[in-house]
Amino acid sequence: MENKILTTSAGAPIADDNSSISAGPDGPLTFDNFQLFEKLAHFNRERIPERVVHARGTGAYGTFTLSRSLTEYTRASFLQTEGQQTDVFLRFSTVGGGQDSSDYARDPRGFAVKFYTREGNFDLVGNNTPVFFLNDPLKFPDFVHSQKKNPKTNLPDAARMYEFWANHPQSLHQITILMSDRGIPASWRHMNGYGSHTYGIWNSSGERFWVKWHFKCDQGIRCLSDEEAATLPPFGAQQDLVEAIERKEFPGWSVKLQILSEDEAKVFPVNPFDLTKVWPHELAPLQDIGRLTLNRNVDNYFEETEQATFAPSNFVPGICASPDKMLQARLLAYQDAQRYRVGVNHNRLPVNAPRCPMHHYQRDGAMAAMNDPAAAGNSQGSNVNFFPNDHSDSPRPDTSYAPPPLPLLENAWVKPYHQDDEDYYHQAGDLYRIMSDAGKTRLAQTIAAGLSQATLSVQERMLGYFDKADSDYADRIRMALIALK
Ligand code: HEM
């Protein structure tokens, strides 16, 4: 095999990479140490900001195989023909911790899937839970501040978490999932994924439907107790996934949709666009649509997983947003975060670049690559850079891709959610009631362990919410709090 010669980043061969140039063996370094300066200067710039949430994660490539044509519901190119395959990249994550925090936190897990379709990338940036703590995006930064570390001690602080929750009863359903036996997944391979939000899909006749995405784990759900989680190495879930894929034990998820017509949604007994609520399966049954498998690890964690940018605004023709206010805010937040975190041309990086032609009039910016191999054929070259123009071969919009318009309701300007008039308790109670007796007790003990650190006022308000979900739920927490005294 031909010996590779070490070079500078500009390609010039290097004679010695062990010694800096000095004025004599013990003298000071000289100014012609450009190789040393290049090495140190690049090293100083190796880090980019970590994600403000979901900083700790693991990514892998795979395939989505459609088992049933969805032409009657959507024109999305990857949902048309039974057996059709689409490449995907999936990143799992915890939410609150930093880049090197434990994989085994009691925390929701991110489940972000990028489908590389023929008509652009569709990103489903979901979690391992079907609901979320909030239904209004205005609360998101406050929520995240309260759940991350205490600003003074830089330590986790359960009192602050519960103080936020005591002021937000809409979190009760998600708290019940998080503090339950399902709160610490044993690995990335043993948990479900959910799109969580309600999304729109629309067919070639312009008919729209509302859907929720579910990814049911084929490996079976496995979770850990706090005690088990504490004994495991922090990066165990990453190791588990990487090693399973290397062994060719490819993890899979059965992909299902709940589908409602617009008319069904109008009379649905729960607000179908409230992210704190699930759609009862008996009213909107899960429909099998395919299977997702992961079959290839990344070659370079930083280039692929760290620089991956998932954006809920990455829709494709046939898929659109819904009136879910959380989703709507997310349509702006992610691309904004990514311009800061990765750079304005992040969509040109191989992991993010579409696997289909892209033609637009955005130009320049840091790292605008002419010969980017991932965007082969997509170099902006000398193409016209303004629109409209008189060049017959230049890219132009096509009205046939317009999603059906969303009618505004008469009370469009009224804030739809009020803490006092929404039922945030019923579904949390339903979930509590299907748990085993031992599971209920463990749930109460886990909640009491954190709640006991909060003020009495916070404890009382929280007990009031648990009581509204199920009086037994509140009683068990009361008992667990007493036992801790
Ligand atoms: C208004 C509400 C929300 C806001 C403003 C928000 C904001 C963000 C931001 C800024 C990031 C970092 C993006 C990056 O740097 O690449 C992020 C990551 C993420 N968010 Fe959210 N988020 C919200 C709600 C949600 C919800 C409801 C879910 C799940 C249902 C979710 C799932 C995720 C996931 C999975 C990631 C990590 C994506 C990856 O692996 O790169 N977020 N979020």
Side-chain angles (χ1 to χ4, degrees):
M1 206 196 304
E2 194 195 340
N3 269 350
K4 278 193 195 135
I5 296 175
L6 182 71
T7 71
T8 64
S9 61
I14 284 176
D16 178 2
D17 195 43
N18 285 319
S19 315
S20 305
I21 305 167
S22 57
D26 297 323
L29 300 187
T30 61
F31 240 86
D32 54 357
N33 267 291
F34 62 87
Q35 186 190 331
L36 168 71
F37 298 155
E38 177 182 297
K39 221 169 154 176
L40 292 186
H42 193 277
F43 177 72
N44 286 350
R45 290 160 180 79
E46 280 182 3
R47 296 285 171 270
I48 59 172
E50 65 176 30
R51 290 166 177 81
V52 63
V53 281
H54 297 263
R56 165 104 199 115
T58 306
Y61 296 94
T63 308
F64 169 66
T65 308
L66 188 72
S67 59
R68 158 194 173 189
S69 167
L70 292 170
T71 308
E72 64 180 304
Y73 297 113
T74 176
R75 60 174 293 177
S77 63
F78 71 114
L79 299 175
Q80 298 307 304
T81 316
E82 191 186 319
Q84 200 179 343
Q85 297 203 314
T86 305
D87 289 345
V88 300
F89 182 68
L90 202 161
R91 182 175 177 271
F92 304 99
S93 49
T94 53
V95 183
Q99 214 171 33
D100 287 334
S101 59
S102 171
D103 286 341
Y104 299 117
R106 185 175 287 280
D107 200 14
R109 299 293 188 268
F111 193 101
V113 193
K114 190 180 281 295
F115 295 83
Y116 300 98
T117 90
R118 282 204 308 270
E119 290 190 322
N121 292 348
F122 168 51
D123 292 355
L124 195 65
V125 197
N127 276 344
N128 69 328
T129 55
V131 297
F132 195 70
F133 299 94
L134 303 171
N135 50 19
D136 192 314
L138 202 54
K139 310 302 309 176
F140 188 76
D142 303 279
F143 165 66
V144 172
H145 290 168
S146 74
Q147 307 297 300
K148 285 209 175 221
K149 292 176 186 162
N150 178 307
K152 176 174 170 168
T153 62
N154 201 33
L155 294 168
D157 188 341
R160 301 173 77 248
M161 293 176 163
Y162 277 95
E163 183 178 339
F164 180 89
W165 287 331
N167 286 300
H168 296 88
Q170 61 269 49
S171 298
L172 200 70
H173 194 175
Q174 176 80 318
I175 295 171
T176 305
I177 299 173
L178 182 63
M179 300 300 164
S180 77
D181 288 348
R182 294 260 175 124
I184 311 178
S187 86
W188 307 126
R189 296 187 290 144
H190 296 95
M191 61 183 205
N192 291 341
Y194 300 88
S196 309
H197 296 283
T198 297
Y199 286 85
I201 56 175
W202 49 281
N203 63 21
S204 305
S205 320
E207 261 180 300
R208 188 194 352 251
F209 301 85
W210 304 120
V211 295
K212 282 194 185 280
W213 289 77
H214 299 248
F215 298 77
K216 294 281 186 197
C217 173
D218 293 339
Q219 293 66 239
I221 305 265
R222 278 194 218 156
C223 300
L224 302 172
S225 65
D226 286 313
E227 295 72 27
E228 288 167 328
T231 63
L232 291 170
F235 309 139
Q238 176 144 18
Q239 189 177 352
D240 172 79
L241 181 72
V242 170
E243 291 181 355
I245 293 176
E246 290 300 313
R247 288 196 303 273
K248 302 202 182 316
E249 239 177 75
F250 300 137
W253 284 262
S254 301
V255 187
K256 296 163 193 281
L257 289 184
Q258 286 179 292
I259 307 177
L260 289 183
S261 69
E262 288 195 86
D263 285 342
E264 284 168 330
K266 283 180 193 149
V267 293
F268 207 59
V270 291
N271 179 346
F273 307 111
D274 179 346
L275 185 55
T276 66
K277 304 204 166 67
V278 292
W279 290 0
H281 290 192
E282 63 277 13
L283 300 178
L286 294 181
Q287 305 190 32
D288 292 318
I289 66 152
R291 186 152 190 272
L292 183 149
T293 49
L294 296 180
N295 49 31
R296 181 162 66 90
N297 281 314
V298 299
D299 284 328
N300 183 301
Y301 180 84
F302 182 88
E303 286 180 11
E304 295 159 86
T305 308
E306 193 54 21
Q307 294 196 112
T309 55
F310 297 88
S313 51
N314 282 346
F315 292 127
V316 291
I319 301 186
C320 59
S322 78
D324 179 336
K325 300 204 152 6
M326 291 286 287
L327 175 58
Q328 291 186 355
R330 294 180 72 206
L331 302 181
L332 293 176
Y334 287 65
Q335 301 265 22
D336 179 44
Q338 291 150 3
R339 282 179 205 111
Y340 159 70
R341 182 171 71 80
V342 185
V344 68
N345 283 309
H346 62 91
N347 274 330
R348 308 205 70 167
L349 297 171
V351 67
N352 302 321
R355 307 268 173 93
C356 62
M358 53 149 172
H359 309 286
H360 55 70
Y361 295 95
Q362 295 162 19
R363 287 295 186 276
D364 308 342
M367 307 293 162
M370 279 278 293
N371 294 317
D372 179 348
N378 290 319
S379 161
Q380 305 286 13
S382 58
N383 295 339
V384 57
N385 60 0
F386 55 90
F387 183 82
N389 57 59
D390 295 343
H391 298 249
S392 57
D393 60 349
S394 69
R396 52 200 61 232
D398 179 341
T399 50
S400 72
Y401 289 105
L406 194 60
L408 274 188
L409 303 175
E410 269 173 40
N411 62 356
W413 294 103
V414 177
K415 287 191 179 180
Y417 302 122
H418 300 279
Q419 290 196 6
D420 302 335
D421 61 15
E422 278 280 335
D423 173 7
Y424 295 123
Y425 313 101
H426 195 202
Q427 291 199 348
D430 286 346
L431 179 59
Y432 176 80
R433 285 182 282 278
I434 58 167
M435 291 180 191
S436 68
D437 191 57
K440 286 175 179 167
T441 302
R442 284 191 295 271
L443 168 69
Q445 286 167 343
T446 304
I447 290 173
L451 189 57
S452 59
Q453 298 174 47
T455 63
L456 280 180
S457 151
V458 165
Q459 292 185 17
E460 272 158 26
R461 270 176 286 159
M462 289 302 302
L463 285 166
Y465 305 151
F466 293 123
D467 200 37
K468 285 191 193 176
D470 192 304
S471 59
D472 181 62
Y473 192 1
D475 288 346
R476 283 190 203 231
I477 296 171
R478 261 188 217 102
M479 298 292 288
L481 283 169
I482 292 167
L484 284 174
K485 278 192 183 150

